[in-house]
């Protein structure tokens, strides 16, 4: 897992990397990592895999925080999509832990399935939680 850690503050990405950020269901990228995703090809009103980004909704179109079960569904879709691109490295940021207000302890377990796939990298704090659960 040591080689599958997303850097804490991503300023640039390589050609084969995808910046994975917390999005809202309206795909308005106004703050946080979503705003930063615009530098890597995210587009307003377009979600999922866009440019060299992938938005995982943690907020509704009205910007209310989604339940963990709804976020789980979006993460499951992301994990499935990532497997169509084994040549890409998906750098998952600490989605849901900023503007959505969840903790790493809340969000990390939602990525339990992602651990199986070498092309999905997670923040160190997510790995810390997932490794404690073993």
């Amino acid at each position: 897992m040591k080689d599958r850690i997303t850097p804490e503050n991503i300023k640039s990405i390589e050609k084969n990397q995808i910046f994975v950020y917390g999005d809202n269901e309206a795909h308005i990228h106004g703050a946080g990592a979503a705003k930063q995703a615009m530098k890597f090809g995210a587009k307003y009103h377009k979600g999922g895999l866009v440019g060299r980004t992938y938005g995982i909704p943690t907020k509704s179109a009205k910007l209310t925080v989604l339940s963990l079960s709804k976020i789980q569904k979006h993460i499951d879709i992301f994990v499935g999509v990532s497997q169509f691109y084994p040549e890409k490295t998906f750098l998952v940021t600490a989605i849901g832990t900023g503007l959505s207000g969840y903790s790493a302890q809340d969000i990390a377990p939602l990525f339990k399935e992602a651990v199986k796939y070498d092309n999905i990298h997670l923040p160190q704090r997510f790995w810390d939680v997932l490794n404690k659960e073993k």
Side-chain angles (χ1 to χ4, degrees):
M1 317 282 175
K2 290 180 182 177
D3 60 336
R4 292 177 51 203
I5 298 170
T6 300
E8 193 66 33
N9 189 9
I10 300 172
K11 301 250 188 238
S12 64
I13 58 175
E14 302 294 324
K15 187 176 182 180
N16 70 324
Q17 294 177 327
I18 305 294
F19 181 82
V20 182
Y21 63 97
D23 198 1
N24 59 69
E25 293 177 323
H27 314 295
I28 300 168
H29 314 302
K35 186 174 183 179
Q36 185 179 0
M38 297 292 288
K39 296 176 187 174
F40 305 126
K43 305 283 184 213
Y44 287 118
H45 309 294
K46 294 186 187 279
L49 187 61
V50 179
R52 294 186 320 176
T53 70
Y54 189 103
I56 298 176
T58 59
K59 289 190 172 188
S60 73
K62 294 184 178 183
L63 304 182
T64 59
V65 177
L66 295 178
S67 68
L68 290 173
S69 63
K70 285 186 180 180
I71 295 170
Q72 178 72 74
K73 290 176 184 175
H74 289 296
I75 290 171
D76 291 345
I77 292 166
F78 156 71
V79 171
V81 168
S82 73
Q83 296 317 291
F84 285 101
Y85 302 93
E87 75 285 1
K88 302 288 186 189
T89 299
F90 291 82
L91 301 174
V92 178
T93 62
I95 72 155
T97 63
L99 299 172
S100 292
Y102 286 111
S103 69
Q105 290 76 17
D106 296 325
I107 299 292
L110 306 181
F111 283 95
K112 192 178 289 188
E113 191 67 21
V115 170
K116 299 176 186 176
Y117 303 106
D118 291 339
N119 67 332
I120 298 176
H121 295 207
L122 300 173
Q124 181 65 59
R125 53 187 158 156
F126 285 14
W127 284 117
D128 292 345
V129 171
L130 291 165
N131 287 332
K132 284 181 186 174
E133 291 184 354
K134 288 184 178 180

